[in-house]
């Protein structure tokens, strides 16, 4: 009965999704495309922006040319650079205060998934100043236009520049959850590969497998549209063709360009078709132990795909054919296993660990409870999992 309830809920959400006001960000793409953004902001009559970023971005001077461009256009800016990995409610509130105090009219997210999540949280608070972040947890709790939001990803992973979700951590309860509303989709996104050239190899690896996780979980789920299916397919193909090259040769601009496109396409796919238990588990690891989200996904992905068993064999076999690792004589199960093995091999080549270090046994029951609450009944996964299934998975990934 519980599985039937979940499937009924998912079916209702899929039908409802067809009447939601979906939109995609307008894109600035290619080398040096970031240089066009200040003029665009000026043309929108936005005179003051809040830039949400982190101290790592500031310390390497990655934003400096963009800041010069804003100055040249006469656009005022304030910088919030205290965003932490797995951004907290405190981050959002501090940034929102800065937004109000400086009478900002727009928000620029500059960085990886964490600054983008934080910036979306600021947008939600600006749209709904009487609602706290916890009150907006879940689906469609904003329902009001946010200020112009410009997303500038500096990794090729989260796809947050294309999604309706902001993932937030509560530092007191160690809970990590999403605010999901079409209002949070950025209005503009800049895909400039030059911003990813200086990414360290280990971040290139983890964020790249994060994008792969988005594409795979969307593809094997049960709420796809023609567009999400096509976006997933294109993303998986681009990632298998370009990720290791980016990892081993970070200055390859074409490979970097392709990975940014893959992350964006995977974002388009999962924002509509959802993710699955990989993300539900990864969010708890981020909330409890600050495990970077991309790294958590990269470690967990093969375990969950194996655990799905026969329920995921057909779509995984299709992806295996797509990346040309199969023989005509292979069975569907053999093809699916080859695809999972290909992910394991890619992880190994990029020095991604096979287990999560630091999981504390006494935390597992609460993490199981929270991951189940996130995933069920919302995520249209190949197979509905229960408490005992999640317990087994946590122990499989635990070092």
């Amino acid at each position: 009965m519980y599985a039937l309830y979940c499937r009924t809920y998912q079916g209702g959400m899929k039908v409802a999704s067809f009447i939601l006001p979906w939109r995609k960000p307008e894109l600035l793409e290619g080398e040096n495309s970031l240089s066009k953004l200040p003029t665009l902001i000026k043309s929108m009559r936005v005179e003051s922006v809040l830039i949400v970023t982190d101290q790592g971005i500031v310390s390497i001077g990655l934003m400096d040319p963009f800041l010069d461009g804003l100055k040249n256009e006469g656009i005022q800016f304030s910088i919030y650079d205290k965003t932490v990995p797995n951004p907290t409610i405190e981050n959002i509130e501090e940034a929102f205060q800065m937004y109000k105090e400086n009478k900002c009219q727009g928000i620029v997210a500059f960085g990886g998934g964490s600054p983008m999540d934080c910036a979306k949280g600021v947008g939600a608070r600006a749209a709904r100043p009487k609602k706290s972040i916890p009150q907006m947890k879940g689906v469609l709790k904003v329902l009001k236009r946010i200020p112009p939001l410009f997303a500038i990803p500096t990794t090729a992973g989260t796809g947050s520049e294309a999604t309706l979700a902001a993932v937030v951590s509560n530092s007191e309860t160690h809970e990590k959850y999403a605010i999901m509303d079409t209002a949070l989709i950025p209005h503009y996104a800049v895909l400039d590969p030059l911003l990813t050239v200086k990414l360290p190899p280990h971040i290139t690896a983890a964020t790249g497998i994060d994008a792969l996780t988005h594409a795979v979980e969307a593809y094997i789920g049960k709420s796809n549209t023609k567009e999400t299916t096509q976006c997933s397919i294109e993303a998986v193909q681009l990632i298998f063709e370009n990720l290791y090259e980016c990892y081993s040769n970070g200055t390859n601009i074409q490979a970097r360009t392709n990975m940014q496109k893959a992350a964006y396409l995977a974002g388009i796919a999962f924002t509509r078709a959802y993710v699955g238990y990989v993300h539900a588990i990864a969010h708890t690891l981020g909330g409890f132990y600050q495990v970077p989200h991309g790294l958590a996904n990269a470690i967990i992905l093969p375990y969950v795909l194996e655990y799905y068993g026969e329920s995921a064999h057909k779509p995984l076999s299709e992806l295996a054919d797509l990346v040309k690792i199969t023989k005509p004589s292979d069975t569907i199960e053999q093809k699916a296993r080859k695809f999972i093995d290909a992910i394991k091999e890619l992880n190994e080549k990029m020095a991604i660990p096979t287990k999560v270090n630091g999981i504390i046994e006494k935390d597992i029951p609460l993490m199981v409870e929270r991951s189940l609450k996130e995933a069920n009944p919302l995520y249209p996964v190949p197979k509905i999992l229960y408490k005992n299934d999640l317990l087994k998975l946590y122990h499989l990934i635990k070092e």
Side-chain angles (χ1 to χ4, degrees):
M1 284 299 290
Y2 180 66
L4 178 62
Y5 159 67
C6 290
R7 293 304 190 201
T8 303
Y9 184 96
Q10 291 156 18
M13 289 296 289
K14 185 174 182 179
V15 171
S17 74
F18 285 99
I19 61 171
L20 290 177
W22 292 100
R23 58 182 169 79
K24 294 177 195 169
E26 292 189 37
L27 295 180
L28 299 177
E29 296 180 87
E31 291 181 59
N32 293 307
S33 52
L34 178 59
S35 64
K36 301 173 186 174
L37 185 57
T39 305
L40 173 65
I41 294 172
K42 182 75 170 179
S43 72
M44 296 176 66
R45 298 181 182 176
V46 173
E47 296 176 358
S48 177
V49 295
L50 174 71
I51 302 171
V52 180
T53 188
D54 59 49
Q55 290 178 354
I57 296 287
V58 172
S59 67
I60 62 172
L62 199 59
M63 286 199 307
D64 291 352
F66 173 61
L67 300 182
D68 289 340
L70 292 177
K71 289 173 188 172
N72 290 339
E73 293 289 349
I75 298 167
Q76 301 293 314
F77 59 85
S78 308
I79 300 172
Y80 180 78
D81 64 358
K82 296 178 184 175
T83 312
V84 298
N86 305 305
T88 63
I89 296 169
E90 289 81 8
N91 282 152
I92 293 169
E93 292 301 330
E94 287 175 359
F96 179 51
Q97 281 303 118
M98 188 177 284
Y99 178 88
K100 289 193 299 182
E101 287 169 5
N102 291 283
K103 297 181 172 58
C104 297
Q105 299 167 311
I107 306 165
V108 175
F110 200 117
S114 296
M116 281 193 267
D117 285 338
C118 186
K120 288 177 179 180
V122 173
R125 289 284 284 119
R128 293 287 188 185
K130 294 181 181 178
K131 273 192 174 185
S132 69
I133 289 297
Q135 287 173 325
M136 289 185 276
K137 172 184 174 181
V139 181
L140 300 177
K141 302 284 180 65
V142 182
L143 293 174
K144 195 174 180 184
R145 182 178 296 183
I146 67 169
L149 175 59
F150 308 89
I152 307 169
T154 59
T155 65
T158 69
S160 189
E161 67 275 8
T163 75
L164 81 176
V167 182
V168 182
S169 293
N170 185 322
S171 53
E172 292 180 6
T173 64
H174 305 299
E175 186 181 9
K176 188 174 177 181
Y177 55 80
I179 301 169
M180 291 180 281
D181 196 299
T182 51
L184 298 184
I185 299 171
H187 300 94
Y188 293 87
V190 178
L191 304 184
D192 189 333
L194 297 181
L195 296 175
T196 66
V197 166
K198 293 182 180 178
L199 270 184
H202 72 280
I203 296 179
T204 296
T207 54
I209 300 294
D210 187 19
L212 181 65
T213 304
H214 297 150
V216 171
E217 287 206 293
Y219 187 80
I220 67 175
K222 295 179 178 292
S223 287
N224 275 294
T225 65
K226 282 184 180 179
E227 182 183 39
T228 64
T229 298
Q230 187 57 37
C231 285
S232 292
I233 285 171
E234 288 182 42
V236 169
Q237 201 159 18
L238 285 169
I239 291 165
F240 269 88
E241 290 172 354
N242 294 279
L243 177 54
Y244 186 69
E245 173 64 16
C246 286
Y247 172 80
S248 54
N249 179 17
T251 57
N252 184 326
I253 299 298
Q254 188 57 56
R256 291 290 193 185
T257 300
N258 291 341
M259 277 304 300
Q260 275 199 322
K261 190 68 173 182
Y264 171 77
L265 289 168
I268 293 287
F270 89 83
T271 202
R272 181 91 182 247
Y274 297 100
V275 285
Y277 293 109
V278 178
H279 273 75
I281 295 170
H283 286 155
T284 63
L285 298 176
F288 274 75
Y289 311 117
Q290 288 73 55
V291 179
H293 179 67
L295 178 62
N297 275 346
I299 296 170
I300 298 164
L301 180 60
Y303 291 99
V304 172
L305 295 182
E306 285 180 334
Y307 200 89
Y308 281 142
E310 188 179 354
S311 67
H313 282 169
K314 187 175 184 297
L316 290 178
S317 74
E318 293 164 357
L319 293 178
D321 286 337
L322 175 75
V323 297
K324 299 180 173 60
I325 55 173
T326 59
K327 296 185 295 189
S329 59
D330 287 340
T331 65
I332 286 176
E333 180 180 351
Q334 286 170 330
K335 290 178 179 181
R337 291 188 182 281
K338 282 186 174 181
F339 186 74
I340 297 169
D341 287 343
I343 295 171
K344 290 179 179 178
E345 184 183 333
L346 188 54
N347 277 353
E348 186 179 354
K349 282 165 64 179
M350 298 189 299
I352 289 172
T354 57
K355 302 279 185 178
V356 178
N357 183 31
I359 295 178
I360 299 168
E361 187 69 30
K362 69 178 178 61
D363 292 338
I364 292 177
L366 183 54
M367 289 196 291
V368 166
E369 183 184 315
R370 286 182 178 171
S371 57
L372 275 178
K373 188 175 180 183
E374 174 183 332
N376 297 346
L378 180 63
Y379 293 162
V381 289
K383 181 169 83 173
I384 304 296
L385 300 186
Y386 298 83
K387 182 178 178 180
N388 284 340
D389 298 309
L390 270 291
L391 277 169
K392 288 176 187 174
L393 280 166
Y394 276 99
H395 282 106
L396 282 171
I397 64 173
K398 178 177 179 288
E399 193 162 57

